Amino acid sequence: GDRTSSPTPTATDSPIGITTFQPGLDRDVDNTFGPSFQGGAGYNSQNWLTLPKGTTTERFVEVANSAVSASSARGVFGGGIAPSYINTLVYITISTAGDAQDFGDLTVARGEFAGSFASSTRGVFAGGRIAPAPGTTNVTIDYVTISTIGDATDFGDLITAASAGGGCSSSTRGLTGGVSTPSAVNTIEYVTIATTGNAKDYGDLTTTVNNRKAFASPTRGVWSGGEGPINTMDYVTIQSTGNSFDFGDLSTAVRRASCLSNATRGITGGGVGSPAAVDTIQYVTIQSTGNSVDFGDLTSARHDHAGLASLVRGVFAGGHPGFSDVIDFITIATLGDATDFGDVPHSSSNDAGCSNGHGGLG
């Protein structure tokens, strides 16, 4: 302004922000949020500060875009056995219903993955068994950019060639555990999803069995069931490292199940019970500890199927008995039986799933 009156200001002073002297000023201030600084502003004194440039959305792009809306979240299924090992990637829009569409190919045909997980941008497929030798495990880690369509790119390698495990992730870090090498091990490995490179040691699960599957909240990863079958659930704090802790027990012991989650609920669907496949869906509240509770049933009893989720829906695809092309879905926040979603273009089992809108992203 031009407050030049002496010795004191008067009512005739021009208002602060007069456009005669500051023609670039904008007087249209938002009534709710007030003025905003779009450039840099500094104050010189014995103690000085410089205000940040731009809005928080502009300065923290990754934070602003960390959560994909439930309406646009995309799920990708990869690999599997049909009945030979395949490298196919297909995708769905989780909020809709319909058949899966072609996405691209993995770098190598494989199934029975050591784990799969995703950030809001990348989907990662780790390890697995490879053709033509069904007993041969693999160290390969592939990744895709979920919002685009195209073939997978090499990410790096697992510490140990592994298959038949479960993967989970936060928005930044992906974990695998409960794997076979080909004998069962209790090792957990991790990668930073936004980078590329080899996996690192995280710690150990409480139980040394394979065919464990996993789900996550933004802070916790949980492994569910496993070979036996067993009813054990373990959990870790994803951003730390160290050994897992006991979470509770499944109401139905299963192996070769499928897991998914929103930010609060973890779901275990299907699997092999004692001794046949089951259609049971069980859930827990991830931030607590305790035993699982009945959720409902799949459209059919099956195992070795893939699971993925948005913050609203959980989706299960493929599996045994036989090689299935069925896709089911549930609404995670409710209780009830699964509903038909559509089909995958090939009948398969032992494939992996991930999405850019799952519960580990918040």
Side-chain angles (χ1 to χ4, degrees):
D2 60 348
R3 304 181 69 83
T4 59
S5 301
S6 179
T8 58
T10 69
T12 58
D13 288 339
S14 299
I16 293 175
I18 184 171
T19 54
T20 304
F21 300 100
Q22 299 289 342
L25 291 178
D26 183 1
R27 296 184 185 181
D28 185 16
V29 176
D30 188 284
N31 291 328
T32 301
F33 299 104
S36 61
F37 288 97
Q38 295 293 335
Y43 296 91
N44 291 323
S45 68
Q46 290 180 334
N47 298 308
W48 62 273
L49 63 88
T50 300
L51 296 178
K53 296 181 179 180
T55 64
T56 53
T57 301
E58 292 165 343
R59 285 184 279 116
F60 299 105
V61 175
E62 291 185 4
V63 173
N65 296 333
S66 63
V68 174
S69 71
S71 63
S72 62
R74 174 180 280 186
V76 180
F77 299 106
I81 307 173
S84 59
Y85 289 96
I86 60 176
N87 66 349
T88 306
L89 294 163
V90 297
Y91 76 96
I92 59 171
T93 300
I94 301 173
S95 63
T96 66
D99 297 342
Q101 305 296 313
D102 181 64
F103 186 97
D105 296 326
L106 294 167
T107 61
V108 60
R110 62 197 195 274
E112 298 183 59
F113 291 84
S116 58
F117 44 81
S119 68
S120 59
T121 54
R122 280 185 174 180
V124 181
F125 301 86
R129 296 189 188 274
I130 60 174
T136 302
T137 53
N138 184 259
V139 297
T140 303
I141 307 174
D142 290 354
Y143 78 92
V144 297
T145 301
I146 297 177
S147 61
T148 66
I149 294 174
D151 296 341
T153 302
D154 180 65
F155 184 100
D157 295 331
L158 294 169
I159 299 170
T160 305
S163 65
C168 60
S169 69
S170 66
S171 61
T172 57
R173 181 181 277 190
L175 281 62
T176 67
V179 301
S180 173
T181 65
S183 59
V185 297
N186 65 349
T187 305
I188 306 170
E189 301 182 20
Y190 78 94
V191 298
T192 301
I193 302 174
T195 66
T196 56
N198 297 336
K200 298 178 181 179
D201 180 65
Y202 181 98
D204 297 327
L205 294 168
T206 62
T207 306
T208 305
V209 296
N210 58 4
N211 285 309
R212 308 199 76 184
K213 303 302 176 183
F215 50 78
S217 71
T219 55
R220 276 188 177 179
V222 181
W223 278 264
S224 175
E227 201 61 47
I230 63 171
N231 64 355
T232 305
M233 288 183 284
D234 292 357
Y235 78 93
V236 298
T237 301
I238 297 175
Q239 291 307 124
S240 67
T241 56
N243 298 336
S244 68
F245 299 92
D246 179 64
F247 185 98
D249 295 330
L250 292 169
S251 56
T252 301
V254 290
R255 60 188 175 93
R256 299 180 178 273
S258 181
C259 287
L260 54 89
S261 64
N262 64 9
T264 56
R265 270 190 181 179
I267 305 288
T268 301
V272 180
S274 298
V278 299
D279 62 2
T280 306
I281 306 173
Q282 312 172 56
Y283 81 93
V284 297
T285 301
I286 303 174
Q287 289 309 116
S288 67
T289 56
N291 299 336
S292 71
V293 178
D294 181 65
F295 183 98
D297 297 326
L298 297 170
T299 58
S300 64
R302 62 190 193 274
H303 58 89
D304 290 304
H305 49 305
L308 53 82
S310 69
L311 295 181
V312 174
R313 278 186 174 180
V315 180
F316 305 93
H320 279 307
F323 297 101
S324 174
D325 64 357
V326 173
I327 308 175
D328 292 355
F329 78 91
I330 57 172
T331 301
I332 300 174
T334 66
L335 300 177
D337 296 341
T339 303
D340 180 65
F341 183 100
D343 298 325
V344 289
H346 50 266
S347 299
S348 65
S349 68
N350 300 97
D351 50 345
C354 60
S355 81
N356 59 357
H358 64 86
L361 304 178

